Amino acid sequence: MSRSPRRLPAVAALPCAAALALAGCAAPGGLAAGEPVAPASPQPRPQALWPAWADDSPKAPGAATGTRQAPPAALADAPEVGPGGLAGLKAADVVRADPRMRLFADKGTINAPGRSGLRPPAYLDLTGDGQDELVVAADTETGRTALSVYTARGKRIVPVLFTLGRRMAVESLGRDLLVRTAPDDGSEQAVRYHWDGERMTVVNEERRYNKTLPSPAPDASAPGADGGAGDSR
């Protein structure tokens, strides 16, 4: 006669978690009793620089990219930076000294999309040195926008970012800039710029296509697919 398998006492099958609780010790990789939990750092949220131009945007950047160029040079004919920093200067005077932006200097200031001119200047500390950079955007009659960022080095003004785009909306993300544009191919592009010690460089870029899919063609083999009532015989 074969023996039946020997049954272990129920007490031997206590869950490990209960044993750990009775012993007052932590599970592997966990916290011991009374050990403080490390504080979680809040993540920055995008803040629109010009809310009138902002709309729903993708918040998750894509693959990292980067380029290496010569250090940017100071503007030759720009006004000197005084004790008030870049905020103490007229944005139009800075734009007028920048060869890539000067054609917008006399367009005037606009407060809403739909017209050409300079958007109100924005000031953000993008380099982390405690001093605000100057962010300027100029809209054109064709719906495109030129964006420039300027920083101060002593009394001189240095352009550290220049980019162009269609239907541009700009947001701050911590000390980064998130620039969203709508290229002519029907996509939406989001580019994130970060200070690298010399200029604002691309660290993330994402492009999304929001094209409407065509309606499926009717099945020619289905009864009445040609719009008729079909053969009732």
Side-chain angles (χ1 to χ4, degrees):
M1 179 183 295
S2 60
R3 293 184 178 181
S4 60
R6 184 179 178 183
R7 297 178 179 273
L8 293 176
V11 68
L14 282 174
C16 179
L20 289 171
L22 292 173
C25 59
L31 296 174
E35 184 175 351
V37 178
S41 300
Q43 296 300 312
R45 295 178 60 85
Q47 301 293 328
L49 272 63
W50 296 283
W53 281 264
D55 53 16
D56 294 338
S57 64
K59 307 301 182 187
T65 60
T67 58
R68 181 68 181 174
Q69 304 174 14
L75 297 176
D77 300 323
E80 289 189 350
V81 180
L86 291 172
L89 302 176
K90 291 183 178 180
D93 292 341
V94 178
V95 170
R96 192 173 289 107
D98 187 346
R100 294 178 296 188
M101 294 287 290
R102 63 169 49 121
L103 63 93
F104 305 108
D106 299 321
K107 295 288 187 180
T109 302
I110 56 175
N111 294 305
R115 296 174 49 222
S116 62
L118 291 173
R119 301 182 189 181
Y123 301 92
L124 298 169
D125 181 9
L126 299 172
T127 64
D129 63 355
Q131 303 296 321
D132 285 343
E133 276 62 53
L134 168 62
V135 185
V136 176
D139 293 344
T140 69
E141 295 86 349
T142 61
R144 299 188 179 275
T145 301
L147 176 77
S148 286
V149 177
Y150 304 94
T151 191
R153 290 180 183 170
K155 295 183 177 181
R156 309 199 70 183
I157 300 174
V158 180
V160 293
L161 174 64
F162 175 78
T163 186
L164 295 165
R166 179 173 173 268
R167 291 172 52 195
M168 181 182 292
V170 187
E171 297 171 341
S172 62
L173 189 61
R175 290 208 309 266
D176 295 353
L177 279 183
L178 186 64
V179 178
R180 296 182 292 105
T181 56
D184 294 329
D185 59 2
S187 65
E188 182 179 61
Q189 187 175 21
V191 182
R192 183 170 177 173
Y193 295 91
H194 180 78
W195 175 249
D196 70 356
E198 292 181 347
R199 59 166 50 82
M200 302 294 294
T201 56
V202 177
V203 291
N204 298 98
E205 183 174 353
E206 182 184 73
R207 178 171 290 192
R208 294 182 178 181
Y209 291 88
N210 299 317
K211 294 182 178 179
T212 303
L213 295 177
S215 301
D219 186 356
S221 63
D226 59 352
D231 190 353
S232 59
R233 290 180 297 175

PDB file of all heavy atoms in Angstrom, residues 43-49 54-62 169-173 176-180 188-192 204-206 208:
ATOM      1  N   GLN A  43       8.241  67.869 -10.855  1.00  0.00           N
ATOM      2  CA  GLN A  43       8.718  68.113 -12.209  1.00  0.00           C
ATOM      3  C   GLN A  43       8.141  69.438 -12.731  1.00  0.00           C
ATOM      4  O   GLN A  43       6.996  69.771 -12.442  1.00  0.00           O
ATOM      5  CB  GLN A  43       8.303  66.970 -13.131  1.00  0.00           C
ATOM      6  CG  GLN A  43       8.922  65.636 -12.766  1.00  0.00           C
ATOM      7  CD  GLN A  43      10.441  65.674 -12.824  1.00  0.00           C
ATOM      8  OE1 GLN A  43      11.018  66.155 -13.807  1.00  0.00           O
ATOM      9  NE2 GLN A  43      11.089  65.208 -11.784  1.00  0.00           N
ATOM     10  N   PRO A  44       8.946  70.198 -13.487  1.00  0.00           N
ATOM     11  CA  PRO A  44       8.423  71.470 -14.014  1.00  0.00           C
ATOM     12  C   PRO A  44       7.327  71.232 -15.030  1.00  0.00           C
ATOM     13  O   PRO A  44       7.331  70.238 -15.757  1.00  0.00           O
ATOM     14  CB  PRO A  44       9.658  72.110 -14.668  1.00  0.00           C
ATOM     15  CG  PRO A  44      10.554  70.958 -14.981  1.00  0.00           C
ATOM     16  CD  PRO A  44      10.335  69.959 -13.889  1.00  0.00           C
ATOM     17  N   ARG A  45       6.372  72.150 -15.062  1.00  0.00           N
ATOM     18  CA  ARG A  45       5.275  72.091 -16.023  1.00  0.00           C
ATOM     19  C   ARG A  45       5.453  73.213 -17.043  1.00  0.00           C
ATOM     20  O   ARG A  45       5.912  74.306 -16.701  1.00  0.00           O
ATOM     21  CB  ARG A  45       3.929  72.244 -15.310  1.00  0.00           C
ATOM     22  CG  ARG A  45       3.612  71.106 -14.351  1.00  0.00           C
ATOM     23  CD  ARG A  45       2.283  71.361 -13.654  1.00  0.00           C
ATOM     24  NE  ARG A  45       1.200  71.464 -14.602  1.00  0.00           N
ATOM     25  CZ  ARG A  45       0.537  70.408 -15.072  1.00  0.00           C
ATOM     26  NH1 ARG A  45       0.866  69.192 -14.678  1.00  0.00           N
ATOM     27  NH2 ARG A  45      -0.444  70.560 -15.927  1.00  0.00           N
ATOM     28  N   PRO A  46       5.120  72.953 -18.298  1.00  0.00           N
ATOM     29  CA  PRO A  46       5.265  74.006 -19.313  1.00  0.00           C
ATOM     30  C   PRO A  46       4.405  75.226 -18.986  1.00  0.00           C
ATOM     31  O   PRO A  46       3.253  75.107 -18.587  1.00  0.00           O
ATOM     32  CB  PRO A  46       4.771  73.321 -20.596  1.00  0.00           C
ATOM     33  CG  PRO A  46       4.902  71.861 -20.328  1.00  0.00           C
ATOM     34  CD  PRO A  46       4.647  71.689 -18.864  1.00  0.00           C
ATOM     35  N   GLN A  47       4.991  76.406 -19.148  1.00  0.00           N
ATOM     36  CA  GLN A  47       4.290  77.662 -18.936  1.00  0.00           C
ATOM     37  C   GLN A  47       4.386  78.491 -20.212  1.00  0.00           C
ATOM     38  O   GLN A  47       5.481  78.769 -20.690  1.00  0.00           O
ATOM     39  CB  GLN A  47       4.903  78.436 -17.754  1.00  0.00           C
ATOM     40  CG  GLN A  47       4.878  77.687 -16.434  1.00  0.00           C
ATOM     41  CD  GLN A  47       3.469  77.495 -15.906  1.00  0.00           C
ATOM     42  OE1 GLN A  47       2.598  78.337 -16.139  1.00  0.00           O
ATOM     43  NE2 GLN A  47       3.232  76.401 -15.207  1.00  0.00           N
ATOM     44  N   ALA A  48       3.258  78.857 -20.780  1.00  0.00           N
ATOM     45  CA  ALA A  48       3.247  79.595 -22.038  1.00  0.00           C
ATOM     46  C   ALA A  48       3.806  81.001 -21.853  1.00  0.00           C
ATOM     47  O   ALA A  48       3.427  81.708 -20.915  1.00  0.00           O
ATOM     48  CB  ALA A  48       1.825  79.672 -22.591  1.00  0.00           C
ATOM     49  N   LEU A  49       4.723  81.406 -22.731  1.00  0.00           N
ATOM     50  CA  LEU A  49       5.253  82.763 -22.690  1.00  0.00           C
ATOM     51  C   LEU A  49       4.248  83.749 -23.266  1.00  0.00           C
ATOM     52  O   LEU A  49       4.121  84.869 -22.784  1.00  0.00           O
ATOM     53  CB  LEU A  49       6.566  82.843 -23.481  1.00  0.00           C
ATOM     54  CG  LEU A  49       7.848  82.527 -22.713  1.00  0.00           C
ATOM     55  CD1 LEU A  49       7.835  81.099 -22.214  1.00  0.00           C
ATOM     56  CD2 LEU A  49       9.073  82.781 -23.580  1.00  0.00           C
ATOM     57  N   ALA A  54      -0.838  80.218 -27.677  1.00  0.00           N
ATOM     58  CA  ALA A  54      -0.697  78.844 -27.218  1.00  0.00           C
ATOM     59  C   ALA A  54      -1.979  78.063 -27.432  1.00  0.00           C
ATOM     60  O   ALA A  54      -3.069  78.609 -27.461  1.00  0.00           O
ATOM     61  CB  ALA A  54      -0.315  78.817 -25.729  1.00  0.00           C
ATOM     62  N   ASP A  55      -1.830  76.741 -27.583  1.00  0.00           N
ATOM     63  CA  ASP A  55      -2.958  75.836 -27.637  1.00  0.00           C
ATOM     64  C   ASP A  55      -2.495  74.486 -27.128  1.00  0.00           C
ATOM     65  O   ASP A  55      -1.416  74.387 -26.543  1.00  0.00           O
ATOM     66  CB  ASP A  55      -3.533  75.728 -29.070  1.00  0.00           C
ATOM     67  CG  ASP A  55      -2.456  75.375 -30.082  1.00  0.00           C
ATOM     68  OD1 ASP A  55      -1.362  74.930 -29.660  1.00  0.00           O
ATOM     69  OD2 ASP A  55      -2.701  75.539 -31.272  1.00  0.00           O
ATOM     70  N   ASP A  56      -3.295  73.458 -27.293  1.00  0.00           N
ATOM     71  CA  ASP A  56      -2.892  72.135 -26.826  1.00  0.00           C
ATOM     72  C   ASP A  56      -1.602  71.726 -27.514  1.00  0.00           C
ATOM     73  O   ASP A  56      -1.433  71.892 -28.714  1.00  0.00           O
ATOM     74  CB  ASP A  56      -3.988  71.099 -27.114  1.00  0.00           C
ATOM     75  CG  ASP A  56      -5.234  71.384 -26.291  1.00  0.00           C
ATOM     76  OD1 ASP A  56      -5.133  72.062 -25.252  1.00  0.00           O
ATOM     77  OD2 ASP A  56      -6.307  70.930 -26.702  1.00  0.00           O
ATOM     78  N   SER A  57      -0.676  71.157 -26.730  1.00  0.00           N
ATOM     79  CA  SER A  57       0.620  70.816 -27.288  1.00  0.00           C
ATOM     80  C   SER A  57       1.089  69.473 -26.770  1.00  0.00           C
ATOM     81  O   SER A  57       0.715  69.055 -25.677  1.00  0.00           O
ATOM     82  CB  SER A  57       1.658  71.878 -26.900  1.00  0.00           C
ATOM     83  OG  SER A  57       1.845  71.892 -25.503  1.00  0.00           O
ATOM     84  N   PRO A  58       1.913  68.764 -27.544  1.00  0.00           N
ATOM     85  CA  PRO A  58       2.517  67.551 -27.007  1.00  0.00           C
ATOM     86  C   PRO A  58       3.536  67.922 -25.948  1.00  0.00           C
ATOM     87  O   PRO A  58       4.356  68.807 -26.139  1.00  0.00           O
ATOM     88  CB  PRO A  58       3.192  66.922 -28.242  1.00  0.00           C
ATOM     89  CG  PRO A  58       3.428  68.066 -29.161  1.00  0.00           C
ATOM     90  CD  PRO A  58       2.302  69.047 -28.924  1.00  0.00           C
ATOM     91  N   LYS A  59       3.515  67.266 -24.792  1.00  0.00           N
ATOM     92  CA  LYS A  59       4.410  67.612 -23.702  1.00  0.00           C
ATOM     93  C   LYS A  59       5.600  66.657 -23.599  1.00  0.00           C
ATOM     94  O   LYS A  59       6.507  66.898 -22.822  1.00  0.00           O
ATOM     95  CB  LYS A  59       3.649  67.582 -22.361  1.00  0.00           C
ATOM     96  CG  LYS A  59       2.386  68.438 -22.363  1.00  0.00           C
ATOM     97  CD  LYS A  59       2.661  69.894 -22.658  1.00  0.00           C
ATOM     98  CE  LYS A  59       1.391  70.719 -22.603  1.00  0.00           C
ATOM     99  NZ  LYS A  59       1.582  72.093 -23.039  1.00  0.00           N
ATOM    100  N   ALA A  60       5.545  65.563 -24.301  1.00  0.00           N
ATOM    101  CA  ALA A  60       6.617  64.590 -24.178  1.00  0.00           C
ATOM    102  C   ALA A  60       7.570  64.706 -25.361  1.00  0.00           C
ATOM    103  O   ALA A  60       7.208  64.392 -26.477  1.00  0.00           O
ATOM    104  CB  ALA A  60       6.043  63.173 -24.119  1.00  0.00           C
ATOM    105  N   PRO A  61       8.807  65.176 -25.141  1.00  0.00           N
ATOM    106  CA  PRO A  61       9.745  65.300 -26.247  1.00  0.00           C
ATOM    107  C   PRO A  61      10.160  63.923 -26.768  1.00  0.00           C
ATOM    108  O   PRO A  61       9.997  62.907 -26.109  1.00  0.00           O
ATOM    109  CB  PRO A  61      10.937  66.049 -25.638  1.00  0.00           C
ATOM    110  CG  PRO A  61      10.408  66.650 -24.386  1.00  0.00           C
ATOM    111  CD  PRO A  61       9.328  65.724 -23.901  1.00  0.00           C
ATOM    112  N   GLY A  62      10.741  63.908 -27.945  1.00  0.00           N
ATOM    113  CA  GLY A  62      11.164  62.653 -28.542  1.00  0.00           C
ATOM    114  C   GLY A  62      12.644  62.401 -28.364  1.00  0.00           C
ATOM    115  O   GLY A  62      13.224  62.701 -27.320  1.00  0.00           O
ATOM    116  N   ALA A 169       4.192  78.683 -31.121  1.00  0.00           N
ATOM    117  CA  ALA A 169       3.818  78.874 -29.719  1.00  0.00           C
ATOM    118  C   ALA A 169       5.016  78.469 -28.877  1.00  0.00           C
ATOM    119  O   ALA A 169       5.690  77.474 -29.169  1.00  0.00           O
ATOM    120  CB  ALA A 169       2.594  78.034 -29.362  1.00  0.00           C
ATOM    121  N   VAL A 170       5.305  79.238 -27.838  1.00  0.00           N
ATOM    122  CA  VAL A 170       6.512  79.035 -27.034  1.00  0.00           C
ATOM    123  C   VAL A 170       6.129  78.862 -25.577  1.00  0.00           C
ATOM    124  O   VAL A 170       5.284  79.597 -25.054  1.00  0.00           O
ATOM    125  CB  VAL A 170       7.490  80.226 -27.189  1.00  0.00           C
ATOM    126  CG1 VAL A 170       8.811  79.928 -26.492  1.00  0.00           C
ATOM    127  CG2 VAL A 170       7.721  80.546 -28.661  1.00  0.00           C
ATOM    128  N   GLU A 171       6.765  77.894 -24.922  1.00  0.00           N
ATOM    129  CA  GLU A 171       6.517  77.639 -23.505  1.00  0.00           C
ATOM    130  C   GLU A 171       7.846  77.504 -22.772  1.00  0.00           C
ATOM    131  O   GLU A 171       8.851  77.081 -23.361  1.00  0.00           O
ATOM    132  CB  GLU A 171       5.702  76.351 -23.318  1.00  0.00           C
ATOM    133  CG  GLU A 171       4.318  76.381 -23.935  1.00  0.00           C
ATOM    134  CD  GLU A 171       3.655  75.021 -23.906  1.00  0.00           C
ATOM    135  OE1 GLU A 171       4.372  74.018 -23.747  1.00  0.00           O
ATOM    136  OE2 GLU A 171       2.424  74.958 -24.043  1.00  0.00           O
ATOM    137  N   SER A 172       7.849  77.872 -21.495  1.00  0.00           N
ATOM    138  CA  SER A 172       9.002  77.597 -20.643  1.00  0.00           C
ATOM    139  C   SER A 172       8.767  76.268 -19.947  1.00  0.00           C
ATOM    140  O   SER A 172       7.658  75.961 -19.516  1.00  0.00           O
ATOM    141  CB  SER A 172       9.205  78.714 -19.621  1.00  0.00           C
ATOM    142  OG  SER A 172       8.082  78.812 -18.753  1.00  0.00           O
ATOM    143  N   LEU A 173       9.819  75.470 -19.836  1.00  0.00           N
ATOM    144  CA  LEU A 173       9.763  74.177 -19.165  1.00  0.00           C
ATOM    145  C   LEU A 173      10.955  74.119 -18.221  1.00  0.00           C
ATOM    146  O   LEU A 173      12.042  73.708 -18.593  1.00  0.00           O
ATOM    147  CB  LEU A 173       9.801  73.043 -20.180  1.00  0.00           C
ATOM    148  CG  LEU A 173       9.543  71.635 -19.662  1.00  0.00           C
ATOM    149  CD1 LEU A 173       8.147  71.543 -19.055  1.00  0.00           C
ATOM    150  CD2 LEU A 173       9.689  70.619 -20.776  1.00  0.00           C
ATOM    151  N   ASP A 176      14.172  75.467 -19.616  1.00  0.00           N
ATOM    152  CA  ASP A 176      14.208  75.174 -21.039  1.00  0.00           C
ATOM    153  C   ASP A 176      13.096  75.916 -21.771  1.00  0.00           C
ATOM    154  O   ASP A 176      12.143  76.394 -21.155  1.00  0.00           O
ATOM    155  CB  ASP A 176      14.056  73.668 -21.280  1.00  0.00           C
ATOM    156  CG  ASP A 176      15.225  72.871 -20.714  1.00  0.00           C
ATOM    157  OD1 ASP A 176      16.202  73.496 -20.253  1.00  0.00           O
ATOM    158  OD2 ASP A 176      15.147  71.633 -20.735  1.00  0.00           O
ATOM    159  N   LEU A 177      13.239  75.982 -23.092  1.00  0.00           N
ATOM    160  CA  LEU A 177      12.195  76.517 -23.959  1.00  0.00           C
ATOM    161  C   LEU A 177      11.621  75.383 -24.801  1.00  0.00           C
ATOM    162  O   LEU A 177      12.382  74.579 -25.363  1.00  0.00           O
ATOM    163  CB  LEU A 177      12.745  77.599 -24.890  1.00  0.00           C
ATOM    164  CG  LEU A 177      12.925  79.013 -24.343  1.00  0.00           C
ATOM    165  CD1 LEU A 177      13.402  79.932 -25.464  1.00  0.00           C
ATOM    166  CD2 LEU A 177      11.659  79.548 -23.725  1.00  0.00           C
ATOM    167  N   LEU A 178      10.313  75.319 -24.888  1.00  0.00           N
ATOM    168  CA  LEU A 178       9.626  74.372 -25.755  1.00  0.00           C
ATOM    169  C   LEU A 178       8.948  75.174 -26.851  1.00  0.00           C
ATOM    170  O   LEU A 178       8.046  75.970 -26.582  1.00  0.00           O
ATOM    171  CB  LEU A 178       8.602  73.556 -24.973  1.00  0.00           C
ATOM    172  CG  LEU A 178       7.907  72.435 -25.728  1.00  0.00           C
ATOM    173  CD1 LEU A 178       8.908  71.369 -26.144  1.00  0.00           C
ATOM    174  CD2 LEU A 178       6.802  71.823 -24.875  1.00  0.00           C
ATOM    175  N   VAL A 179       9.405  74.995 -28.085  1.00  0.00           N
ATOM    176  CA  VAL A 179       8.906  75.754 -29.232  1.00  0.00           C
ATOM    177  C   VAL A 179       8.094  74.816 -30.108  1.00  0.00           C
ATOM    178  O   VAL A 179       8.606  73.801 -30.597  1.00  0.00           O
ATOM    179  CB  VAL A 179      10.069  76.373 -30.035  1.00  0.00           C
ATOM    180  CG1 VAL A 179       9.541  77.127 -31.257  1.00  0.00           C
ATOM    181  CG2 VAL A 179      10.886  77.302 -29.146  1.00  0.00           C
ATOM    182  N   ARG A 180       6.834  75.152 -30.307  1.00  0.00           N
ATOM    183  CA  ARG A 180       5.933  74.342 -31.122  1.00  0.00           C
ATOM    184  C   ARG A 180       5.576  75.097 -32.396  1.00  0.00           C
ATOM    185  O   ARG A 180       5.233  76.277 -32.344  1.00  0.00           O
ATOM    186  CB  ARG A 180       4.656  74.000 -30.345  1.00  0.00           C
ATOM    187  CG  ARG A 180       4.904  73.141 -29.137  1.00  0.00           C
ATOM    188  CD  ARG A 180       3.613  72.777 -28.416  1.00  0.00           C
ATOM    189  NE  ARG A 180       2.979  73.928 -27.790  1.00  0.00           N
ATOM    190  CZ  ARG A 180       1.902  74.531 -28.246  1.00  0.00           C
ATOM    191  NH1 ARG A 180       1.338  74.140 -29.369  1.00  0.00           N
ATOM    192  NH2 ARG A 180       1.383  75.564 -27.601  1.00  0.00           N
ATOM    193  N   GLU A 188       2.771  68.621 -36.606  1.00  0.00           N
ATOM    194  CA  GLU A 188       3.040  69.530 -35.490  1.00  0.00           C
ATOM    195  C   GLU A 188       4.402  69.156 -34.916  1.00  0.00           C
ATOM    196  O   GLU A 188       4.649  67.995 -34.598  1.00  0.00           O
ATOM    197  CB  GLU A 188       1.972  69.406 -34.419  1.00  0.00           C
ATOM    198  CG  GLU A 188       2.178  70.378 -33.262  1.00  0.00           C
ATOM    199  CD  GLU A 188       1.095  70.261 -32.207  1.00  0.00           C
ATOM    200  OE1 GLU A 188       0.967  69.167 -31.627  1.00  0.00           O
ATOM    201  OE2 GLU A 188       0.382  71.252 -31.977  1.00  0.00           O
ATOM    202  N   GLN A 189       5.286  70.148 -34.805  1.00  0.00           N
ATOM    203  CA  GLN A 189       6.654  69.909 -34.359  1.00  0.00           C
ATOM    204  C   GLN A 189       6.890  70.581 -33.014  1.00  0.00           C
ATOM    205  O   GLN A 189       6.522  71.744 -32.824  1.00  0.00           O
ATOM    206  CB  GLN A 189       7.656  70.427 -35.392  1.00  0.00           C
ATOM    207  CG  GLN A 189       9.109  70.081 -35.089  1.00  0.00           C
ATOM    208  CD  GLN A 189      10.037  70.509 -36.202  1.00  0.00           C
ATOM    209  OE1 GLN A 189       9.689  71.379 -37.000  1.00  0.00           O
ATOM    210  NE2 GLN A 189      11.208  69.925 -36.286  1.00  0.00           N
ATOM    211  N   ALA A 190       7.486  69.850 -32.082  1.00  0.00           N
ATOM    212  CA  ALA A 190       7.835  70.386 -30.770  1.00  0.00           C
ATOM    213  C   ALA A 190       9.331  70.208 -30.561  1.00  0.00           C
ATOM    214  O   ALA A 190       9.843  69.089 -30.618  1.00  0.00           O
ATOM    215  CB  ALA A 190       7.058  69.668 -29.670  1.00  0.00           C
ATOM    216  N   VAL A 191      10.039  71.322 -30.340  1.00  0.00           N
ATOM    217  CA  VAL A 191      11.489  71.296 -30.155  1.00  0.00           C
ATOM    218  C   VAL A 191      11.811  71.890 -28.783  1.00  0.00           C
ATOM    219  O   VAL A 191      11.339  72.982 -28.453  1.00  0.00           O
ATOM    220  CB  VAL A 191      12.221  72.086 -31.260  1.00  0.00           C
ATOM    221  CG1 VAL A 191      13.732  71.994 -31.068  1.00  0.00           C
ATOM    222  CG2 VAL A 191      11.827  71.564 -32.633  1.00  0.00           C
ATOM    223  N   ARG A 192      12.605  71.172 -28.022  1.00  0.00           N
ATOM    224  CA  ARG A 192      12.999  71.630 -26.681  1.00  0.00           C
ATOM    225  C   ARG A 192      14.453  72.098 -26.718  1.00  0.00           C
ATOM    226  O   ARG A 192      15.345  71.366 -27.158  1.00  0.00           O
ATOM    227  CB  ARG A 192      12.833  70.503 -25.664  1.00  0.00           C
ATOM    228  CG  ARG A 192      13.145  70.901 -24.231  1.00  0.00           C
ATOM    229  CD  ARG A 192      12.716  69.799 -23.290  1.00  0.00           C
ATOM    230  NE  ARG A 192      13.064  70.093 -21.900  1.00  0.00           N
ATOM    231  CZ  ARG A 192      12.676  69.351 -20.867  1.00  0.00           C
ATOM    232  NH1 ARG A 192      11.932  68.269 -21.083  1.00  0.00           N
ATOM    233  NH2 ARG A 192      13.021  69.673 -19.644  1.00  0.00           N
ATOM    234  N   ASN A 204      15.665  67.851 -27.458  1.00  0.00           N
ATOM    235  CA  ASN A 204      14.587  66.930 -27.815  1.00  0.00           C
ATOM    236  C   ASN A 204      13.798  67.506 -28.976  1.00  0.00           C
ATOM    237  O   ASN A 204      13.609  68.720 -29.067  1.00  0.00           O
ATOM    238  CB  ASN A 204      13.629  66.702 -26.637  1.00  0.00           C
ATOM    239  CG  ASN A 204      14.306  66.070 -25.448  1.00  0.00           C
ATOM    240  OD1 ASN A 204      14.683  66.769 -24.515  1.00  0.00           O
ATOM    241  ND2 ASN A 204      14.463  64.761 -25.465  1.00  0.00           N
ATOM    242  N   GLU A 205      13.338  66.624 -29.843  1.00  0.00           N
ATOM    243  CA  GLU A 205      12.524  67.055 -30.971  1.00  0.00           C
ATOM    244  C   GLU A 205      11.497  65.979 -31.291  1.00  0.00           C
ATOM    245  O   GLU A 205      11.818  64.788 -31.301  1.00  0.00           O
ATOM    246  CB  GLU A 205      13.396  67.320 -32.192  1.00  0.00           C
ATOM    247  CG  GLU A 205      12.631  67.844 -33.395  1.00  0.00           C
ATOM    248  CD  GLU A 205      13.553  68.240 -34.540  1.00  0.00           C
ATOM    249  OE1 GLU A 205      14.784  68.232 -34.334  1.00  0.00           O
ATOM    250  OE2 GLU A 205      13.045  68.543 -35.632  1.00  0.00           O
ATOM    251  N   GLU A 206      10.274  66.409 -31.520  1.00  0.00           N
ATOM    252  CA  GLU A 206       9.198  65.472 -31.827  1.00  0.00           C
ATOM    253  C   GLU A 206       8.318  66.058 -32.914  1.00  0.00           C
ATOM    254  O   GLU A 206       8.006  67.242 -32.904  1.00  0.00           O
ATOM    255  CB  GLU A 206       8.346  65.192 -30.583  1.00  0.00           C
ATOM    256  CG  GLU A 206       7.227  64.187 -30.821  1.00  0.00           C
ATOM    257  CD  GLU A 206       6.359  64.004 -29.599  1.00  0.00           C
ATOM    258  OE1 GLU A 206       5.578  64.929 -29.314  1.00  0.00           O
ATOM    259  OE2 GLU A 206       6.465  62.970 -28.920  1.00  0.00           O
ATOM    260  N   ARG A 208       4.619  65.206 -34.959  1.00  0.00           N
ATOM    261  CA  ARG A 208       3.417  64.391 -35.024  1.00  0.00           C
ATOM    262  C   ARG A 208       2.614  64.749 -36.255  1.00  0.00           C
ATOM    263  O   ARG A 208       2.500  65.918 -36.611  1.00  0.00           O
ATOM    264  CB  ARG A 208       2.546  64.598 -33.773  1.00  0.00           C
ATOM    265  CG  ARG A 208       3.188  64.114 -32.484  1.00  0.00           C
ATOM    266  CD  ARG A 208       2.243  64.307 -31.317  1.00  0.00           C
ATOM    267  NE  ARG A 208       2.806  63.806 -30.069  1.00  0.00           N
ATOM    268  CZ  ARG A 208       2.168  63.834 -28.910  1.00  0.00           C
ATOM    269  NH1 ARG A 208       0.945  64.346 -28.846  1.00  0.00           N
ATOM    270  NH2 ARG A 208       2.743  63.367 -27.831  1.00  0.00           N
TER     271      ARG A 208
END
